[in-house]
Amino acid sequence: MGQTINRAKTGLFTLMAGAGLPGLALADQPTPWELNLQPAATPVMERITSFHDLLLAIIFAIVVLVAALLVYVMIRFRASANPNPSRTSHNTLIEVLWTVAPIMILVVIAIPSFRLLYYSDKAADAELTVKVQGYQWYWAYSYPDAGDFTVESRIAARTEAEATDGKIRLLSTDNPMVVPVDTTVRVLVTSDNVIHSWAVPSFGVQKYANPGHINETWFRAEKTGTYFGQCQQICGSDHGFMPVEVKVVSKEDYAAWVAKMKAQAGIPDAAPTKLAAATAAPATAN
């Protein structure tokens, strides 16, 4: 039910954003009274959502069972029905059941949990690498596969008065991370000073940025749009003003954006990027 509501809200946001109304995301962002996870935009988040639904079903079943047992005990063993209470202190069958049942439940949870952890750990055959570096208090995105230029990303709207021209308060940045759609992106996360945390809920990505250490994660966005996240590790006085904005565009638009960034950085555009070389059509023999 919550997932259906979220998807309906997302479609409304997308439609209104396309109409040019300010303050709305092109894809997903936190919304008031949100009851469920943001709609998945990557295979990792799809698996996280499935695992979440499995856990919800298990927890619901446990709550119903425990509630039923409490009601049964309250009625069956109330004082008026048992003027002479039983002196039984042990029951082998019950003790075996309440030991084995939790173990089986944990096994059912552990198997998909470990599968998800290994699946989301590192990218296999990544087509693009982006290095994310946290500072106090902004992000820097480096593209070693596309000329090794760096884009600094700072908050664009701290107040409602600054949230103009489509900007969203506490979420929009002046320079978002730009990546192509349907591309496996390896993300290397580190920090220049204190511990930060780079997170995008719709991607199912949350990785700590530790000084002197590089953590790896990945995502593959399956639809174009703008996705938002925030630093999730308290990193100082401006921790709440360190948003993450990722713009997923077509591969053609990404190539044009890379050319623009390389021109601004004074990087020669002679050699093709790794992504362009990988996606180039093979030559046909005459």
Side-chain angles (χ1 to χ4, degrees):
M1 179 64 179
Q3 189 77 2
T4 302
I5 294 174
N6 279 345
R7 293 189 183 279
K9 291 188 294 183
T10 301
L12 178 62
F13 288 147
T14 304
L15 178 62
M16 297 175 70
L21 298 181
L24 294 172
L26 297 178
D28 291 306
Q29 67 179 97
T31 57
W33 298 97
E34 194 165 23
L35 299 177
N36 209 333
L37 303 174
Q38 292 185 22
T42 67
V44 171
M45 189 58 193
E46 290 174 357
R47 296 194 180 201
I48 290 175
T49 302
S50 297
F51 185 52
H52 164 269
D53 294 342
L54 171 65
L55 292 181
L56 186 62
I58 293 174
I59 292 171
F60 182 79
I62 293 173
V63 170
V64 170
L65 175 62
V66 172
L69 289 175
L70 286 173
V71 172
Y72 173 77
V73 170
M74 291 166 60
I75 296 174
R76 174 68 178 80
F77 298 102
R78 67 189 187 277
S80 59
N82 291 273
N84 298 311
S86 171
R87 299 283 182 178
T88 302
S89 60
H90 295 283
N91 186 299
T92 303
L93 177 60
I94 292 178
E95 291 177 358
V96 170
L97 287 177
W98 74 36
T99 301
V100 174
I103 292 175
M104 298 306 297
I105 292 173
L106 291 176
V107 170
V108 170
I109 294 174
I111 293 173
S113 175
F114 284 121
R115 285 179 178 172
L116 179 59
L117 285 173
Y118 282 107
Y119 180 74
S120 62
D121 183 29
K122 294 182 180 180
D125 301 323
E127 302 167 77
L128 176 67
T129 297
V130 179
K131 179 183 177 182
V132 177
Q133 186 148 348
Y135 293 88
Q136 291 181 304
W137 285 271
Y138 64 95
W139 300 101
Y141 304 122
S142 300
Y143 292 75
D145 296 338
D148 205 17
F149 61 86
T150 300
V151 176
E152 293 184 353
S153 182
R154 293 177 170 82
I155 188 170
R158 291 194 176 206
T159 64
E160 291 292 349
E162 295 175 339
T164 58
D165 300 326
K167 296 183 179 68
I168 304 172
R169 177 177 176 266
L170 300 181
L171 291 176
S172 293
T173 63
D174 54 356
N175 295 303
M177 173 196 282
V178 179
V179 296
V181 70
D182 293 327
T183 302
T184 302
V185 181
R186 176 190 291 114
V187 184
L188 305 178
V189 185
T190 187
S191 172
D192 181 69
N193 33 58
V194 299
I195 299 176
H196 302 279
S197 179
W198 193 81
V200 182
S202 292
F203 291 173
V205 171
Q206 185 271 326
K207 212 63 160 178
Y208 286 105
N210 298 310
H213 181 77
I214 295 179
N215 287 326
E216 180 178 337
T217 186
W218 71 280
F219 64 85
R220 184 183 179 90
E222 298 177 324
K223 57 182 179 179
T224 59
T226 304
Y227 302 86
F228 296 95
Q230 291 175 308
C231 177
Q232 293 190 356
Q233 174 67 31
I234 297 178
C235 54
S237 60
D238 277 9
H239 161 67
F241 305 104
M242 199 172 172
V244 176
E245 181 179 359
V246 181
K247 184 170 290 186
V248 181
V249 299
S250 67
K251 294 184 179 181
E252 294 77 14
D253 289 343
Y254 173 74
W257 178 81
V258 168
K260 177 183 176 182
M261 293 296 103
K262 290 170 70 174
Q264 291 180 357
I267 300 173
D269 198 22
T273 64
K274 178 181 177 181
L275 180 63
T279 56
T284 58
N286 294 327

